[in-house]
Amino acid sequence: MSVPTHDQPDLQPPLGGTEVDGLVVCKTITKDELADYLQNLHWIPALRGIPSSIRRRFMEYQPLEFIGYLRKVGAIKKGEHFTGRVPAPDLIYVTLYIGGIWEAKFLTKTGKIRTRRSKPTVKRAS
């Protein structure tokens, strides 16, 4: 189930190129898009040639590498889906910032937004 965002603008993912807390947004992925991505990683859709539309957006990452980054910020949990992975139940969206910083936004039971951010995965030139 997706979180309605039309009446709550704080829950909408930021657009690419915008600045949030001094970081520039590169890409975002919503909970529903992540569920689609995970579902299409299974061998049955793969053999049938059914690609996830989100896969194209994150082509620079191998699937296991991509999943690793998402797991570090808590966006993916073990689940009973046939792929073995599901988006976290309280996930709203995940943002990738320039510099390789991953950030997941979660909606708590009290209605507050919780953020979990990774360390930069791209090293700066020295």
Side-chain angles (χ1 to χ4, degrees):
M1 183 174 105
S2 63
V3 178
T5 59
H6 60 279
D7 56 346
Q8 298 171 326
D10 293 340
L11 301 180
Q12 292 181 357
L15 299 173
T18 59
E19 188 174 325
V20 178
D21 297 332
L23 300 170
V24 179
V25 174
C26 183
K27 303 174 187 184
T28 60
I29 184 169
T30 66
K31 181 179 181 176
D32 291 339
E33 291 171 334
L34 181 55
D36 177 61
Y37 179 88
L38 293 173
Q39 183 168 349
N40 284 287
L41 285 180
H42 192 266
W43 65 270
I44 294 173
L47 285 177
R48 292 183 181 167
I50 304 170
S52 170
S53 59
I54 303 310
R55 176 78 175 103
R56 289 185 204 105
R57 196 181 320 160
F58 292 92
M59 285 298 289
E60 66 271 23
Y61 297 101
Q62 294 296 319
L64 290 177
E65 177 187 23
F66 184 63
I67 288 171
Y69 290 132
L70 295 173
R71 287 179 64 189
K72 284 182 182 177
V73 292
I76 295 177
K77 303 288 181 188
K78 287 185 180 180
E80 295 191 18
H81 188 267
F82 63 85
T83 61
R85 301 174 190 100
V86 294
D90 52 349
L91 178 70
I92 305 170
Y93 61 87
V94 178
T95 305
L96 171 60
Y97 294 102
I98 291 178
I101 298 172
W102 294 83
E103 179 182 82
K105 295 275 186 177
F106 303 91
L107 188 62
T108 65
K109 291 180 181 178
T110 60
K112 297 189 185 254
I113 296 175
R114 180 175 58 90
T115 303
R116 188 166 172 191
R117 188 179 285 175
S118 74
K119 294 181 180 179
T121 57
V122 176
K123 294 183 179 181
R124 295 183 183 184
S126 49

